[in-house]
Amino acid sequence: MKRTRTIVAVFLFSAIALVSCKKESASESEQPYTANCNGDSQAPPNGSTATATFNGKYNSSTGTFSGTLTYSGITPTGWYVQKGTTLVNGEIIASLGAVVTSPVSINIQLSASAAAELKAGNCYVNIQSAAYPSGEIRGKLVAK
């Protein structure tokens, strides 16, 4: 009986130790995001027929925001992650890098405050053009 209690105690202690030492896996630290950009989502809506899609992820372990931005019907002059809600303009919290031909690979480091806004659902992708210097198309970043 004493031996059985000892074996049970060792088993329980080992199980507790394994659970408490569990490391966060890559999939647990990575949150997928998507954004569908268009002129109707701008503030105010502008009727642009350009479109773009962002598919990516935020890695909370590294602070890296990465993904692919695919656009058509627009010649971008700049693109950003901005803080704001639907139809409300907000401040730029991260540049998505140099303007290049679609599709664009994005890999940027977010500040702690930018990451907090992203996680709270308060961010959108904004793509600017010569015709619309403050933004031709935009789309809310939504966690999948």
Side-chain angles (χ1 to χ4, degrees):
M1 181 74 161
K2 189 174 187 177
R3 183 173 182 192
T4 302
R5 278 191 271 168
T6 302
I7 291 171
V8 169
V10 168
F11 175 77
L12 287 175
F13 177 79
S14 298
I16 291 170
L18 284 173
V19 169
S20 65
C21 292
K22 180 184 174 241
K23 291 182 113 182
E24 190 176 70
S25 72
S27 63
E28 291 172 332
S29 65
E30 293 179 348
Q31 174 63 57
Y33 284 88
T34 189
N36 294 307
C37 306
N38 58 60
D40 289 339
S41 297
Q42 271 300 347
N46 61 32
S48 172
T49 58
T51 60
T53 302
F54 175 81
N55 286 298
K57 62 187 174 193
Y58 175 70
N59 186 309
S60 60
S61 295
T62 64
T64 303
F65 187 59
S66 60
T68 302
L69 178 68
T70 305
Y71 64 86
S72 65
I74 185 174
T75 302
T77 57
W79 39 50
Y80 305 93
V81 173
Q82 290 183 241
K83 175 184 169 182
T85 56
T86 305
L87 299 179
V88 176
N89 292 320
E91 67 183 278
I92 294 171
I93 59 174
S95 170
L96 295 179
V99 176
V100 295
T101 305
S102 181
V104 180
S105 292
I106 308 292
N107 191 359
I108 60 173
Q109 199 71 27
L110 291 183
S111 68
S113 61
E117 293 294 343
L118 177 68
K119 290 177 187 178
N122 297 331
C123 294
Y124 60 92
V125 172
N126 190 34
I127 303 177
Q128 301 169 337
S129 68
Y132 298 94
S134 62
E136 182 166 344
I137 58 175
R138 79 188 232 180
K140 182 173 176 57
L141 284 162
V142 179
K144 291 195 237 180

